Amino acid sequence: MGSLFRDFLEAAKRSEKEILIGKSGSTPEGKYEKIRSGQSYLYKKYGMESEVIEIRLKKKVTGSFLNEALRTAMKRYPYFNTKLIEKDGDFYIVQNEQSLIAKRTKELARLGHISCGYHLIDITYYDCSVYVSFHHALCDGRGVLPFVETLIYYYCGLAYGRKPCPEGVRLAEESLLPGETADPFQKEYSFNQDKEFISLSRDAYAIPENVAAEEVTNYRYEVKISGDQYMKVCKESHATPAILLALLMSKGIAELYPDYDKPIHANLAADIRDALNVPNTFKNCVMSMALPYDREFAKKSLSEQAEEYRHILKAQRDRDYCRKQANAMIGLSDRLDSLESYEEKQKIMGFFEGMMLNTYIISYLGKFKLGENAQYVEDIHLYNSGTIGLGINMIACGEEFVLDFKQNFPSDKYVRAFCSELEKMGIGYSVSDRIPFITPGDSIIKREKQEK
């Protein structure tokens, strides 16, 4: 009798899930919208750590203004008022009956948890900071950036008086762009299979700290750089901001470890939306592109190095090459789709959890469109815990570049090595003390050893 009751209950739950999945998706009009882009982030053993964009204002945040700005901004972004439903180990995005609310707290919520209404983004504030937490399975940094720009615009209008809207900032009354909710990894892409593609070995130098640790606390160093001075060096050497960052950091690591026996790699998280014909999608659409630094390369001038990096990046941004790489990710999703339970899918993905990219990772989010409201913003940061080794996030904010060195070890030797290279270039900077931090793992599904 007990078995029959359990079967009945499970059938009822499954039926309810299917009804919800068929009723909506990223928008109220969507349906049967299975997560493919960012799917791999849903199977981490202890959950995926939140990514956080922290907007630091010069004055204390007013909660009522922030919530009014949030309500207005959300009219433009229905895909952020959503939650996930799990069925047979797959995850579907549906509209959330609970609205997003900005809460005053120092604690970041576990995304997908009841405490934040099961949302995959969460807005909190404390003192002068606004925190926008987001889940990488839902979107990437470029996908959430327009929402943050809209939120800042409306908040500053309420708190300090309305200013002209910066060009490119999306307003509440505007319609979604074509393909804004498209999933770039639904089906394979055609590409020129006869083309000769760049071949880069992933066998790179591993810094000593590139090992997984049981300690959940990560550490962060914040570096603020003079935008004018940094861009002057970029222009003189024909480098982009991300390329100059890679050149200076790799040189610093080479001087820390003069006996390095493999190429030092900066692994750049690159946006591939254009290559996949989904320029407007908010969903996760990045791949890693390697920039190697070896002894022969180190002998070249800064301009020669920058030019070579431009060539290497151009080859990796090639439309056909990106599509070939995207197909490999789609193949993994296809394999996951063939399995019938969350446990089976997690077992496959568990293989990837211990893998890492040597030597370090760079993510350049780009420049925030602040317009005249830049005068009210101290700086903007992007960070998450769960890092293995060293990662560097870069943002252009106002007149400065803001870098967050995030790492699973306390030493400041890498940030010091980088700052030493800035000094050699005559670039002004400031650097913070060490900041211990944790961004919590998600609560999309019940897991072992997950904190209550």
Side-chain angles (χ1 to χ4, degrees):
M1 196 69 176
S3 176
L4 283 174
F5 179 75
R6 282 194 300 271
D7 291 345
F8 174 79
L9 189 60
E10 286 302 315
K13 287 181 179 178
R14 185 178 182 86
S15 177
E16 182 184 16
K17 288 180 179 182
E18 290 173 348
I19 290 170
L20 290 172
I21 289 166
K23 281 176 62 177
S24 69
S26 292
T27 63
E29 298 77 28
K31 59 179 65 177
Y32 302 111
E33 193 174 323
K34 179 159 55 173
I35 295 280
R36 295 269 289 186
S37 168
Q39 185 179 22
S40 60
Y41 296 106
L42 292 165
Y43 301 99
K44 290 191 69 173
K45 188 174 182 181
Y46 302 121
M48 179 67 195
E49 294 83 3
S50 300
E51 295 265 354
V52 177
I53 294 177
E54 180 184 349
I55 306 104
R56 291 186 196 152
L57 301 170
K58 293 180 179 178
K59 293 184 178 180
K60 199 169 184 178
V61 177
T62 301
S64 59
F65 289 157
L66 180 60
N67 270 294
E68 187 174 343
L70 178 58
R71 284 191 295 272
T72 305
M74 287 302 295
K75 295 175 184 177
R76 176 57 183 73
Y77 301 92
Y79 45 79
F80 288 137
N81 194 43
T82 52
K83 62 182 179 180
L84 290 186
I85 291 179
E86 182 269 335
K87 183 169 80 77
D88 299 331
D90 293 321
F91 292 85
Y92 297 80
I93 188 168
V94 300
Q95 289 291 295
N96 195 329
E97 62 279 4
Q98 299 190 49
S99 298
L100 277 166
I101 299 173
K103 300 176 183 175
R104 181 181 179 274
T105 175
K106 287 183 177 180
E107 301 298 320
L108 299 174
R110 299 206 319 267
L111 296 176
H113 190 261
I114 188 173
S115 63
C116 63
Y118 306 105
H119 286 98
L120 298 177
I121 72 167
D122 190 49
I123 317 300
T124 54
Y125 66 97
Y126 199 85
D127 286 343
C128 297
S129 288
V130 176
Y131 304 88
V132 179
S133 302
F134 65 96
H135 199 295
H136 234 312
L138 178 68
C139 61
D140 55 19
R142 291 289 173 92
V144 78
L145 185 148
F147 165 75
V148 177
E149 291 174 333
T150 302
L151 183 66
I152 293 173
Y153 171 71
Y154 283 121
Y155 175 81
C156 289
L158 292 165
Y160 311 115
R162 184 66 58 88
K163 304 291 189 299
C165 182
E167 184 179 354
V169 170
R170 303 173 192 178
L171 299 177
E173 62 272 13
E174 294 177 355
S175 301
L176 297 187
L177 300 172
E180 193 167 334
T181 62
D183 192 318
F185 296 102
Q186 281 292 344
K187 57 183 180 179
E188 287 195 346
Y189 292 88
S190 60
F191 66 95
N192 183 357
Q193 299 188 36
D194 296 325
K195 184 182 286 188
E196 187 173 340
F197 297 116
I198 187 171
S199 178
L200 288 173
S201 172
R202 291 288 178 173
D203 187 20
Y205 180 74
I207 59 174
E209 296 85 0
N210 268 21
V211 290
E214 288 294 322
E215 174 59 55
V216 296
T217 300
N218 276 196
Y219 303 90
R220 198 168 79 248
Y221 292 91
E222 299 174 351
V223 180
K224 295 206 290 190
I225 301 172
S226 165
D228 287 343
Q229 293 174 5
Y230 192 81
M231 287 308 300
K232 181 174 182 289
V233 175
C234 282
K235 289 172 183 175
E236 289 172 350
S237 60
H238 305 289
T240 65
I243 283 176
L244 183 57
L245 168 56
L247 288 171
L248 299 183
M249 187 69 261
S250 291
K251 184 182 178 186
I253 290 174
E255 294 192 3
L256 280 174
Y257 304 106
D259 297 328
Y260 67 97
D261 54 354
K262 295 179 181 179
I264 294 165
H265 274 200
N267 297 285
L268 182 64
D271 183 348
I272 59 171
R273 285 169 169 77
D274 288 340
L276 303 187
N277 280 353
V278 286
N280 299 321
T281 184
F282 80 93
K283 297 191 177 183
N284 205 327
C285 196
V286 296
M287 77 178 201
S288 176
M289 298 185 181
L291 293 172
Y293 186 104
D294 59 22
R295 297 184 191 284
E296 285 302 311
F297 183 84
K299 296 175 184 176
K300 299 179 180 181
S301 70
L302 188 65
S303 294
E304 290 172 329
Q305 290 175 339
E307 192 61 40
E308 186 167 333
Y309 271 7
R310 279 182 176 273
H311 175 76
I312 292 171
L313 278 181
K314 183 180 179 181
Q316 292 178 88
R317 292 185 188 276
D318 175 83
R319 179 184 179 86
D320 290 303
Y321 180 78
C322 288
R323 290 178 163 222
K324 178 176 181 287
Q325 298 298 104
N327 283 352
M329 292 185 267
I330 291 166
L332 175 59
S333 287
D334 288 343
R335 185 180 178 191
L336 290 174
D337 285 349
S338 71
L339 303 174
E340 297 181 353
S341 71
Y342 180 86
E343 290 73 22
E344 290 178 287
K345 297 172 197 283
Q346 189 183 59
K347 187 175 180 181
I348 292 291
M349 295 311 300
F351 172 76
F352 295 95
E353 279 209 45
M355 296 178 67
M356 62 195 74
L357 292 171
N358 293 328
T359 309
Y360 65 101
I361 295 171
I362 290 175
S363 178
Y364 177 41
L365 192 53
K367 186 175 181 64
F368 276 80
K369 302 180 185 76
L370 301 176
E372 293 182 26
N373 290 322
Q375 62 185 303
Y376 308 117
V377 178
E378 186 67 40
D379 46 45
I380 301 177
H381 297 263
L382 171 65
Y383 50 84
N384 66 290
S385 57
T387 300
I388 298 177
L390 174 66
I392 307 171
N393 290 336
M394 184 182 203
I395 285 173
C397 176
E399 303 300 317
E400 297 176 315
F401 285 97
V402 180
L403 278 63
D404 283 87
F405 283 66
K406 52 178 191 166
Q407 50 195 57
N408 63 340
F409 53 92
S411 172
D412 65 350
K413 61 182 173 181
Y414 298 107
V415 71
R416 283 191 289 106
F418 174 75
C419 290
S420 175
E421 298 304 320
L422 289 177
E423 290 174 11
K424 293 174 187 176
M425 295 290 165
I427 299 172
Y429 69 90
S430 63
V431 60
S432 73
D433 292 333
R434 182 175 68 226
I435 305 170
F437 76 104
I438 297 172
T439 63
D442 69 55
S443 188
I444 290 170
I445 198 165
K446 187 176 180 180
R447 296 178 174 89
E448 295 178 4
K449 297 183 180 179
Q450 191 169 56
E451 60 183 339
K452 300 297 182 185

